[in-house]
Amino acid sequence: MNVHVMILAAGNSRRFGGNKLLHLYKRKPLYRYMLETILRMDVPLGEKMIVTQYDEIMEMGTTLGYYVFRNECPEDGISRSIRIGITELMGMESYHVGDAVMCCVCDQPELRAETLTQFVREYKRTGRGIGVVTTGEVPGNPVIFRDDYWEELKLLSGDEGGKAVRNRHPEDVFYFPVSQKPELWDIDEREDMEKLEREFEKKLIIVRGGGDLATGVIHRLYREGYSVLVLETEFPACIRRQVSFAEAVYEGFT
């Protein structure tokens, strides 16, 4: 089974009061986070596509290797973007019966590639037709749909999303729990953006030194949802350089 990726990025952001997808979050346009997170996933994926109305997102998606499709009528709601993506995917040579598609949105900047990687792996292991990430009892995005449900997705209308299809088939749903609730926070209003920024400003941890032992601590902190700033000397000394974050100083990247 191939799990393809469809990123939905055509909304008008009415509640945000402006184009939230181009709004800067931590000095980067909001939409960029999901595009880059997908590319960092450590699991085989099928085709990667974006459905949007915005030229900037189309250009960046093309640059990053995504198939890009324009939604000319975003006012028709998210159902139109889903329909466009499903129709295009079904026409691709790489599509095979039994494939699935992971539907993602572009307003979850703290969602990690490691989380999505594990989600896809566990979904494929269960054999269920639908997969959804959750925090506690609350389902969120993204959601995976096997092709059994694609025709049903194409029949959605207006702002009716995949939730309607998921709710009609509870017996075939796999729920993947995410422990870090802020990962699944989506941004609908400006207050949501401010709340998320405050949450992660509180969680900045500064570590002096990126040697092999410190690297293990740093990695665990990051997996627990903290932002970590590592301080190093110009010429750091550590025993196991190849498995240490300090090696970034020598290789010239962060």
Side-chain angles (χ1 to χ4, degrees):
M1 173 203 292
N2 288 321
V3 176
H4 307 277
V5 176
M6 176 168 59
I7 298 178
L8 305 169
N12 287 321
S13 310
R14 294 184 184 90
R15 284 188 286 171
F16 192 81
N19 187 348
K20 69 178 179 182
L21 299 182
L22 301 184
H23 192 84
L24 296 183
Y25 175 74
K26 296 182 180 178
R27 299 181 297 280
K28 185 189 298 185
L30 187 60
Y31 77 88
R32 285 280 299 273
Y33 288 89
M34 183 58 73
L35 272 64
E36 295 173 0
T37 296
I38 294 297
L39 298 181
R40 291 197 302 271
M41 289 176 63
D42 186 24
V43 65
L45 295 171
E47 304 296 357
K48 306 174 187 70
M49 67 182 74
I50 303 169
V51 183
T52 186
Q53 63 166 309
Y54 301 110
D55 291 338
E56 178 178 328
I57 298 178
M58 295 187 74
E59 292 172 7
M60 181 55 64
T62 300
T63 299
L64 295 177
Y66 286 83
Y67 285 102
V68 178
F69 305 104
R70 186 183 292 276
N71 183 345
E72 299 283 2
C73 302
E75 63 276 6
D76 289 349
I78 195 172
S79 62
R80 180 177 175 85
S81 291
I82 294 173
R83 190 158 52 251
I84 290 171
I86 293 292
T87 300
E88 294 290 348
L89 181 55
M90 293 180 72
M92 294 182 179
E93 292 185 2
S94 57
Y95 161 65
H96 301 286
V97 174
D99 282 358
V101 63
M102 180 167 67
C103 300
C104 306
V105 293
C106 273
D107 58 359
Q108 294 176 297
E110 297 295 344
L111 187 57
R112 298 182 300 134
E114 294 87 350
T115 299
L116 293 182
T117 294
Q118 193 63 26
F119 173 43
V120 171
R121 287 175 177 165
E122 290 297 312
Y123 166 78
K124 295 174 77 170
R125 184 186 61 81
T126 66
R128 297 288 180 91
I130 300 173
V132 57
V133 294
T134 66
T135 52
E137 300 293 323
V138 182
N141 287 306
V143 183
I144 302 176
F145 293 95
R146 197 172 56 214
D147 60 358
D148 309 44
Y149 299 103
W150 290 5
E151 291 297 334
E152 200 169 341
L153 288 170
K154 288 166 65 177
L155 294 175
L156 296 172
S157 61
D159 276 325
E160 189 178 33
K163 176 181 178 181
V165 176
R166 185 194 75 217
N167 288 344
R168 286 195 286 269
H169 304 278
E171 75 289 346
D172 200 23
V173 179
F174 158 62
Y175 291 97
F176 179 76
V178 176
S179 59
Q180 295 297 318
K181 186 175 181 180
E183 276 198 74
L184 300 190
W185 283 355
D186 56 4
I187 296 173
D188 291 323
E189 302 177 356
R190 292 183 184 271
E191 290 76 11
D192 298 330
M193 177 85 74
E194 294 166 1
K195 177 183 177 182
L196 195 58
E197 288 173 338
R198 288 195 301 270
E199 175 71 18
F200 281 88
E201 280 174 3
K202 294 177 184 176
K203 290 189 173 183
L204 175 65
I205 294 179
I206 300 175
V207 178
R208 297 185 62 181
D212 49 354
L213 296 180
T215 293
V217 176
I218 294 163
H219 183 255
R220 179 58 185 269
L221 288 169
Y222 177 77
R223 289 182 62 85
E224 292 300 320
Y226 293 90
S227 296
V228 185
L229 174 64
V230 183
L231 306 181
E232 261 299 356
T233 62
E234 185 177 1
F235 301 104
C238 55
I239 298 173
R240 301 165 64 200
R241 279 178 48 183
Q242 296 302 315
V243 295
S244 301
F245 287 130
E247 181 67 5
V249 176
Y250 292 105
E251 296 191 1
F253 65 85
T254 59

